[in-house]
Amino acid sequence: MNHTISTKTKLTGLIGHPVTQSLSHKMHNAAFQYLNLDYMYFPFDIQEKDLPNTVLGLKALGFKGFNVTMPFKQTIMQYLDEISKEAQLIGSVNTIVNCDGYFVGHNTDGKGFIQALKDENLDVGNKVFVLAGAGGAARSIAVQLALEGVEELIILNRTIEAANRIAEVIRKNISSCKIKTDDLSDKSLRKYVNGADVFVNCTPIGMFSSQDKSVIEDSSILRSDLAVCDLIYKPQQTRLLQIAEDKGCKTINGLGMLLWQGAFAFELWTGVPMPVSYIKEILFQIK
Ligand code: NAP
């Protein structure tokens, strides 16, 4: 199908500020076109003051659904009609589905991360995970890992109170998961990474603006049988992943999570699975 707009085209999109770095429109529009689905995905850069009117506008226009990115993943929740249980535990929403005029909020980030690990033959059950960072992404991953039966979670963060807040939610709601928190220092990294199976960087250290930095600089903290994940996908090979690769660790960047959080949103909107192998090819070529 030639991807042109018809009078029946179903609308989806993204709201955030800024949205210039987003790859979501490329991913979803390519998938709609590949499957001959009469859908379109539009990125919208909006101001915080316009958020309530934007939600009303998207509802009035009959949008089938949309994604939400920074900085609205939490503030959007008050304007929705229903929030999934996972998104309530995570405390933020990245995907909204229009169910007959009701806007239902979901969070597909944590599920996307776990599916990306599965793609790399990494099962999370009975594993010990160390997360560096306690922001929105860390929280979605921590909650989902706990729901999926991870053995133990250790959350290290510059501001320990933020790590403690995630731990409280998990202790209260998913009591099967052991959880510890500590500060983010070389000393605690060495202490906890030593007994871990997987280390995940959930901070922006190493992103395009700090490409010469890594949350772990001292490679003696790592072991060759450790899996090291970085949520960052620009650049695809961060300094952390380079250090880990040199040490012989299995390394996973943030592209798989980006792909799968989008794939889960796509299926919620359309009812059909995203053609992930095809979209992966496109996504992984974008520099
Ligand atoms: P966020 O909510 O702003 O949280 C950032 C976290 O990083 C906080 O815990 C913060 O610690 C910590 N941090 C920031 N700068 C730091 C520094 N210089 N030193 C030590 N800690 C620092 O951000 P987020 O949404 O969780 O995103 C985190 C990262 O994940 C970003 O790189 C983002 O691009 C990536 N991400 C990737 C995907 C994907 O699909 N691959 C999805 C979502 C996010 P404090 O609490 O002390 O401030």
Side-chain angles (χ1 to χ4, degrees):
M1 172 183 164
N2 194 3
H3 206 178
T4 51
I5 296 173
S6 77
T7 52
K8 291 184 180 160
T9 302
K10 296 185 180 70
L11 305 173
T12 62
L14 167 72
I15 58 172
H17 179 71
V19 294
T20 39
Q21 291 294 332
S22 177
L23 301 176
S24 295
H25 58 293
K26 294 191 175 159
M27 189 162 53
H28 289 290
N29 285 325
F32 294 146
Q33 192 158 10
Y34 184 85
L35 294 175
N36 282 342
L37 294 175
D38 191 8
Y39 281 69
M40 287 286 233
Y41 187 103
F42 301 90
F44 298 107
D45 190 332
I46 65 157
Q47 300 298 314
E48 174 121 45
K49 66 176 174 48
D50 296 323
L51 184 61
N53 282 337
T54 300
V55 176
L56 286 174
L58 294 173
K59 197 179 262 191
L61 291 170
F63 266 63
K64 286 295 282 180
F66 54 100
N67 288 130
V68 191
T69 190
M70 299 294 289
F72 307 128
K73 284 183 169 187
Q74 291 170 325
T75 43
I76 186 94
M77 293 172 84
Q78 64 192 295
Y79 305 113
L80 303 178
D81 301 301
E82 202 180 313
I83 313 269
S84 76
K85 186 166 177 282
E86 279 156 11
Q88 283 178 38
L89 287 179
I90 292 166
S92 67
V93 156
N94 77 335
T95 301
I96 286 99
V97 182
N98 186 344
C99 299
D100 297 327
Y102 276 84
F103 274 0
V104 182
H106 298 261
N107 193 313
T108 64
D109 282 335
K111 273 189 184 161
F113 173 74
I114 285 167
Q115 188 58 45
L117 297 192
K118 287 184 182 162
D119 273 0
E120 299 288 333
N121 299 317
L122 217 165
D123 267 324
V124 303
N126 305 321
K127 296 271 189 333
V128 177
F129 275 73
V130 174
L131 310 187
R139 184 162 162 154
S140 61
I141 287 171
V143 166
Q144 204 67 46
L145 284 170
L147 287 169
E148 301 262 344
V150 76
E151 161 122 5
E152 185 172 7
L153 268 176
I154 296 128
I155 306 177
L156 309 178
N157 197 43
R158 180 174 64 177
T159 314
I160 192 153
E161 292 77 14
N164 287 340
R165 281 196 290 277
I166 302 177
E168 258 170 55
V169 170
I170 291 177
R171 282 192 194 108
K172 197 169 153 201
N173 296 284
I174 317 161
S175 56
S176 54
C177 178
K178 285 189 261 171
I179 185 152
K180 288 186 192 134
T181 59
D182 213 328
D183 65 342
L184 180 57
S185 63
D186 270 10
K187 190 173 164 221
S188 43
L189 281 165
R190 189 176 296 284
K191 177 176 166 190
Y192 295 108
V193 168
N194 189 36
D197 300 294
V198 187
F199 174 76
V200 191
N201 175 36
C202 309
T203 78
I205 301 170
M207 258 173 113
F208 39 85
S209 51
S210 60
Q211 283 193 34
D212 56 336
K213 297 202 166 53
S214 165
V215 70
I216 295 180
E217 290 286 358
D218 180 351
S219 68
S220 70
I221 291 172
L222 304 172
R223 305 180 324 271
S224 60
D225 60 341
L226 182 79
V228 176
C229 311
D230 203 326
L231 300 194
I232 295 169
Y233 50 84
K234 264 189 189 171
Q236 291 184 21
Q237 174 84 319
T238 58
R239 183 167 155 74
L240 169 68
L241 294 188
Q242 190 58 60
I243 292 170
E245 200 177 286
D246 292 346
K247 188 79 181 187
C249 305
K250 182 182 187 69
T251 59
I252 300 170
N253 69 20
L255 276 175
M257 175 176 171
L258 177 74
L259 171 74
W260 279 104
Q261 61 75 31
F264 288 123
F266 184 93
E267 193 161 348
L268 283 168
W269 298 328
T270 63
V272 293
M274 180 183 261
V276 279
S277 306
Y278 171 69
I279 298 302
K280 198 172 186 174
E281 266 175 45
I282 295 176
L283 204 57
F284 285 30
Q285 278 164 16
I286 300 169
K287 294 288 170 206

